[in-house]
Amino acid sequence: MFTVTDLKQLVYCPRLVFYAYCWPGVRVAPTAKMVLGREANDAAEAREHRRGLRAYGLREGRREFDLWLESASLNLCGKLDMLIITPGASGDELIPVDYKDSLPEAYRGQRIPAVVRHNWAVQLTAYAMLVEEAYGRPVRRGFVYYIPARRAREVVFDEALRQEVRDSLRRIAAMVAAEQQPPPTPHRRQCAACEYRRLCNDV
Ligand code: SF4
């Protein structure tokens, strides 16, 4: 099975997914900065679990954390940070939430971007599709929660996002089957901080 993280990485740079599946012997050792970042993220997530639902504009709801989801029909799996189950007009509404611990430099304090980064929206849509299959109910919207600002931005799961999830999964499967290295990302600024840079001789 592919993972929801693969979908996010595919949008960021297809080579990240290629290296993970086609060069499995290559392991990039995490830097001290990465390890510290993960530890800080785990601590921040634990704190967010104790907060209420105000950031999502909801008055009531039950929450499930770190929910493992998988679908044989989508050939996809992943761990969702939080699922809110809240009463709606036609029964319980299911709302997936993905935590993000970073904000672009331009955003400080309480400000958050007006639009969720595209690869994050694709990632959240994939979680929504997994939730739909697991619970047998449609999922209309979800939230990206920006931990540094303690604010959330809504994502509506339209057909274009859902189709992108399906197309991306097909693209990953074809890439892995062919074992063909894709071209580098056109956004070369990303390469400066990429942990796989030593494997890319053409950037
Ligand atoms: S160095 Fe650049 S092209 Fe290579 S994997 Fe990283 S982001 Fe992609």
Side-chain angles (χ1 to χ4, degrees):
M1 275 189 183
F2 299 117
T3 70
V4 174
T5 304
D6 293 335
L7 292 170
K8 179 186 72 172
Q9 300 288 60
L10 187 76
V11 178
Y12 188 81
C13 176
R15 279 193 181 173
L16 299 177
V17 183
F18 172 80
Y19 290 144
Y21 287 95
C22 298
W23 290 6
V26 176
R27 287 278 176 269
V28 177
T31 62
K33 189 178 170 192
M34 287 160 63
V35 171
L36 286 173
R38 279 178 201 154
E39 287 173 359
N41 190 34
D42 288 346
E45 289 194 6
R47 282 195 300 277
E48 295 314 316
H49 289 182
R50 295 194 291 272
R51 295 192 200 286
L53 294 170
R54 202 173 58 170
Y56 312 98
L58 298 170
R59 298 166 71 98
E60 59 179 314
R62 184 163 57 83
R63 295 177 297 169
E64 295 182 8
F65 298 106
D66 298 328
L67 198 61
W68 179 255
L69 298 161
E70 59 183 52
S71 160
S73 63
L74 289 168
N75 194 29
L76 182 66
C77 61
K79 191 171 77 171
L80 175 65
D81 288 329
M82 180 167 75
L83 179 68
I84 303 172
I85 303 165
T86 187
S90 52
D92 285 345
E93 182 183 6
L94 305 173
I95 304 175
V97 179
D98 192 23
Y99 294 160
K100 296 299 180 194
D101 65 349
S102 62
L103 267 173
E105 276 296 310
Y107 295 90
R108 286 280 177 263
Q110 296 295 300
R111 292 180 61 226
I112 58 174
V115 177
V116 169
R117 193 187 289 179
H118 185 63
N119 63 335
W120 292 357
V122 171
Q123 182 184 23
L124 189 58
T125 305
Y127 282 126
M129 293 165 73
L130 288 173
V131 169
E132 285 177 337
E133 189 165 317
Y135 287 77
R137 292 186 62 84
V139 177
R140 185 178 64 83
R141 60 173 177 149
F143 288 93
V144 165
Y145 180 82
Y146 298 87
I147 291 175
R150 297 179 189 169
R151 291 185 61 193
R153 184 67 76 201
E154 186 180 80
V155 174
V156 174
F157 305 122
D158 61 18
E159 183 49 33
L161 280 170
R162 291 168 185 273
Q163 191 58 47
E164 184 161 350
V165 169
R166 291 188 285 267
D167 290 346
S168 297
L169 286 168
R170 276 193 285 272
R171 193 175 155 205
I172 292 172
M175 182 173 70
V176 171
E179 295 189 38
Q180 193 166 21
Q181 188 182 44
T185 174
H187 309 293
R188 298 300 170 83
R189 280 174 50 192
Q190 294 173 182
C191 301
C194 178
E195 60 205 85
Y196 288 93
R197 189 173 184 184
R198 69 182 171 83
L199 305 179
C200 294
N201 296 323
D202 53 352
V203 297

